[in-house]
Amino acid sequence: QVQLVESGGGLVQPGGSLTLSCAASGFTFSEFAMNWYRQAPGKWRETVATITTSGYATNYPGSVMGRFTISRDNTKNVAYLQMNNLKPEDTAMYYCNAWRSAEDDYWGQGTQVTVSS
């Protein structure tokens, strides 16, 4: 059974940091690109970080570039999202995604991140 379980969300003050984790099971983790998405109430879902199967290449949108870092550990089947200098506009539900093809596209249940003083 495929599972992606996110953890690490919570309430943090502006300027603070959080690290999200995504624990994967039920599929060959190293064969999947990993992505983090977020969705705030009333807004479209957006990609915030992407990492290739090997972990050698990553990609970020301008809104989080320099503040967020995605990584993965293929020996532990875990992906991470390190988030620094958090801003109120980073408040959203954050989702982990594993993608290999249109047929192999898996999602976690999400973890809430709230940035507020």
Side-chain angles (χ1 to χ4, degrees), residues 47-61:
T47 309
V48 293
T50 298
I51 190 166
T52 56
T53 54
S54 64
Y56 288 145
T58 58
N59 194 46
Y60 309 91

Side-chain angles (χ1 to χ4, degrees), residues 43-88:
K43 295 189 176 182
W44 294 103
R45 184 175 62 192
E46 63 171 332
T47 309
V48 293
T50 298
I51 190 166
T52 56
T53 54
S54 64
Y56 288 145
T58 58
N59 194 46
Y60 309 91
S63 58
V64 307
M65 181 77 72
R67 300 189 299 122
F68 289 14
T69 302
I70 188 171
S71 61
R72 66 189 296 161
D73 186 336
N74 286 349
T75 66
K76 298 180 179 179
N77 292 352
V78 181
Y80 303 95
L81 184 67
Q82 173 70 42
M83 304 184 293
N84 297 325
N85 190 22
L86 283 160
K87 305 176 181 181

